[in-house]
């Protein structure tokens, strides 16, 4: 549940629907599913194997297994965990604020066509955005402070079932709207004439990023696994749960936006500007708006816990700090780094070469560091640590992993090439 919670995040509920809408619906979904099965599962299994064998954080794992320059890959994971969490917590704060706004004046403003003004006023308020950032980080620090079983496991055992429960309620409401059939047709019936090269690359990128790969998360969680766990089976469960959330999020979004004649490919604004308009037109719109933003907050929060665990585990293993000290010191540092992101969207600090601070941080991590990290992890397992990886995924020969040869060659060739394409395509500031 904890590993699945780390994979399930804003990429599934926030990014997947608008990317799917932008690139043609059902045909994009099929390509995305193929990418998740072939590349996503392979890289995730590689990360879990590295972590379980080393029983250390991402940096320490590479140092123990190979040494040389390889710990740099672990440092890249630490960097991603630290930086991504700093702006992820800002967006999680927005979703928390919108939970409360759903029962405030949001529905009335959205019905009057002023949802964009509401969002603009909110992100331009420097005090509110920083306060929500601090609240989110305080809760994240509190959960990770309590440890794996006392904090992370307990929270995920509650939050993940809650996430699926809210999704099911929202799907039932969405698919029973008058006019929802057109949205279901767009989402479930492929039209391959809409597929483009750019769309294929977007599917590869979405599949990779939605599983939280290349960030040290799965290496960190792998380090907590027992030596007799069936890792290929666990990988399938994590990937299936993650993909199920993305697919279910589409079943919430597309019937609703088509029912009310809204643009399905409206981009990132689909969540905070477009969807409140949709909810305002529904009976009990405030309730369904609250449920949706609660869903989004849970997805963001479970990923935030995992990102923070990467950073805290590094401090425990490499700096020999206690968990309490690691959680508090690193949590405060990440919160401070998040302040420029919270302030930048409202224009309170200067842009960096045409991007606000939040977008710049997102670009560096998602377009540069994560793809490089994922590519190097695949190459590490495929070419350099092959014998160790073989022993690990088969539990030293106890398990018959029938897809072993295919997995190995995916790590050696297919995954690095596909990730390289994402990397090259993403280098457009």
């Amino acid at each position: 549940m904890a590993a699945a919670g780390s994979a399930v995040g804003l990429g599934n509920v926030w990014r997947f629907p608008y990317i799917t809408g932008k690139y043609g619906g059902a045909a994009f979904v099929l390509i995305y599913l193929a990418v998740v099965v072939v590349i996503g599962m392979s890289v995730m299994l590689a990360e879990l194997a590295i972590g379980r064998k080393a029983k250390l954080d991402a940096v320490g794992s590479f140092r123990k297994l190979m040494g040389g320059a390889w710990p740099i890959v672990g440092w890249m994971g630490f960097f991603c965990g630290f930086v991504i969490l700093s702006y992820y917590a800002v967006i999680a704060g927005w979703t928390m604020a919108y939970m409360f706004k759903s029962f405030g004046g949001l529905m009335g403003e959205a019905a009057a066509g002023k949802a964009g003004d509401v969002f603009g006023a909110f992100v331009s308020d420097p005090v509110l955005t920083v306060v929500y950032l601090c609240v989110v980080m305080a809760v994240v620090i509190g959960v990770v402070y309590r440890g794996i079983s006392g904090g992370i496991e307990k929270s995920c055992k509650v939050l993940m079932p809650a996430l699926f429960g809210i999704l099911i309620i929202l799907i039932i409401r969405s698919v029973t709207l008058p006019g929802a059939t057109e949205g279901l047709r767009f989402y479930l019936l492929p039209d391959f004439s809409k597929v483009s090269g750019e769309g294929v690359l977007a599917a590869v990128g979405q599949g990779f990023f939605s599983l939280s790969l290349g960030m040290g998360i799965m290496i960190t969680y792998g380090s907590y696994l027992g030596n007799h766990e069936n890792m290929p089976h666990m990988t399938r469960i994590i990937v299936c749960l993650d993909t199920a959330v993305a697919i279910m999020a589409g079943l919430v979004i597309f019937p609703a936006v088509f029912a009310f004649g809204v643009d399905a490919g409206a981009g990132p604004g689909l969540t905070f500007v477009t969807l409140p308009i949709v909810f305002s037109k529904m009976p009990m719109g405030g309730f369904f708006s609250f449920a949706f933003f609660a869903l989004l907050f849970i997805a963001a929060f479970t990923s935030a816990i995992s990102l923070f665990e990467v950073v805290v585990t590094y401090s425990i293993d490499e700096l020999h700090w206690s968990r309490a000290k690691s959680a508090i010191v690193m949590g405060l540092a990440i919160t401070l780094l998040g302040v420029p992101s919270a302030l930048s969207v409202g224009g309170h600090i200067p842009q960096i070469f045409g991007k606000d601070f939040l977008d710049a941080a997102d670009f560096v991590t998602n377009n540069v560091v994560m793809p490089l990290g994922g590519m190097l992890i695949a190459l590490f397992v495929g070419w350099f640590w092959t014998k160790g990886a073989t022993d690990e995924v088969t539990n030293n020969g106890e398990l018959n992993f029938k897809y072993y040869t295919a997995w190995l060659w995916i790590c050696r060739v297919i995954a690095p090439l596909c990730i390289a394409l994402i990397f090259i395509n993403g280098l457009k500031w």
Side-chain angles (χ1 to χ4, degrees):
M1 283 295 184
S6 74
V8 173
L10 293 175
N12 302 73
V13 184
W14 171 55
R15 194 171 188 269
F16 176 76
Y18 82 74
I19 290 286
T20 301
K22 182 178 179 180
Y23 291 108
F28 175 89
V29 173
L30 288 177
I31 298 167
Y32 165 78
L33 291 174
V35 168
V36 163
V37 170
V38 176
I39 299 174
M41 278 189 178
S42 298
V43 178
M44 182 176 288
L45 181 56
E47 291 199 24
L48 289 171
I50 290 167
R52 188 174 76 169
K53 180 62 177 177
K55 293 286 192 285
L56 290 168
D57 66 289
V59 178
S61 291
F62 282 100
R63 183 183 295 121
K64 180 177 179 179
L65 297 181
M66 191 64 64
W70 284 105
I72 292 172
V73 182
W75 276 108
M76 292 163 73
F78 173 86
F79 175 83
C80 282
F82 197 97
V83 176
I84 291 174
L85 179 54
S86 72
Y87 67 81
Y88 215 84
V90 173
I91 301 172
W94 297 352
T95 66
M96 181 186 286
Y98 265 62
M99 286 164 60
F100 302 126
K101 286 179 181 291
S102 296
F103 291 122
L106 178 62
M107 292 298 96
E109 294 287 346
K114 296 180 180 178
D117 296 337
V118 173
F119 182 65
F122 171 69
V123 296
S124 297
D125 187 324
V127 176
L128 264 183
T129 50
V130 172
V131 166
Y132 275 108
L133 160 68
C134 293
V135 169
V136 170
M137 282 304 303
V139 181
V140 170
I141 291 167
V143 169
V144 175
Y145 179 96
R146 293 174 64 84
I148 302 302
S149 59
I152 296 173
E153 280 187 5
K154 279 187 177 178
S155 64
C156 287
K157 282 177 180 176
V158 173
L159 292 174
M160 288 301 289
L163 183 145
F164 279 98
I166 295 170
L167 268 173
I168 290 167
I169 292 168
L170 287 169
I171 289 170
I172 292 169
R173 169 69 277 193
S174 187
V175 299
T176 53
L177 289 168
T181 310
E182 194 60 35
L184 289 171
R185 189 176 293 114
F186 171 81
Y187 187 51
L188 300 177
L189 296 178
D191 179 358
F192 288 100
S193 67
K194 295 181 179 179
V195 175
S196 64
E198 185 182 349
V200 172
L201 277 176
V204 174
Q206 178 63 24
F208 183 74
F209 297 130
S210 72
L211 292 171
S212 302
L213 303 175
M215 308 160 67
I217 290 176
M218 293 304 161
I219 293 176
T220 301
Y221 279 140
S223 71
Y224 301 129
L225 290 177
N227 292 328
H228 298 289
E229 299 281 1
N230 186 330
M231 283 196 299
H233 179 63
M234 286 187 64
T235 303
R236 284 192 291 271
I237 292 173
I238 296 167
V239 170
C240 285
L241 284 172
D242 176 80
T243 307
V245 171
I247 298 300
M248 291 170 78
L251 289 172
V252 173
I253 304 294
F254 292 110
V257 296
F258 272 81
F260 295 110
V262 174
D263 179 14
L270 183 69
T271 301
F272 295 102
V273 178
T274 309
L275 286 179
I277 297 171
V278 172
F279 291 129
S280 72
K281 296 177 181 179
M282 291 182 185
M284 294 178 63
F287 168 78
F288 290 109
S289 176
F290 173 84
F292 176 79
F293 286 107
L295 165 72
L296 200 58
F297 177 76
I298 291 170
F301 186 72
T302 53
S303 289
I305 290 170
S306 304
L307 288 163
F308 192 42
E309 182 64 18
V310 172
V311 176
V312 168
T313 303
Y314 166 82
S315 306
I316 294 169
D317 290 348
E318 302 296 313
L319 304 179
H320 308 295
W321 290 358
S322 67
R323 175 167 284 272
K325 180 181 178 180
S326 299
I328 293 169
V329 173
M330 289 298 185
L332 288 173
I334 290 169
T335 305
L336 286 174
L337 182 61
V339 171
S341 288
L343 298 176
S344 67
V345 181
H348 295 291
I349 61 173
Q351 292 190 331
I352 302 170
F353 301 110
K355 287 185 182 290
D356 61 50
F357 193 92
L358 190 153
D359 284 340
D362 179 67
F363 178 89
V364 171
T365 51
N366 280 288
N367 292 47
V368 181
V369 183
M370 277 175 59
L372 280 176
M375 188 191 317
L376 290 169
I377 287 166
L379 292 171
F380 177 77
V381 166
W383 295 101
F384 297 91
W385 187 60
T386 310
K387 176 64 168 64
T390 302
D391 292 341
E392 206 58 35
V393 299
T394 61
N395 290 1
N396 292 311
E398 291 178 11
L399 294 177
N400 177 25
F401 180 33
K402 60 183 178 180
Y403 301 112
Y404 166 74
T405 303
W407 171 69
L408 189 62
W409 281 102
I410 289 167
C411 288
R412 283 179 170 175
V413 179
I414 297 172
L417 282 176
C418 290
I419 298 168
L421 285 172
I422 303 170
F423 177 68
I424 294 165
N425 189 60
L427 291 179
K428 298 171 184 174
W429 183 275

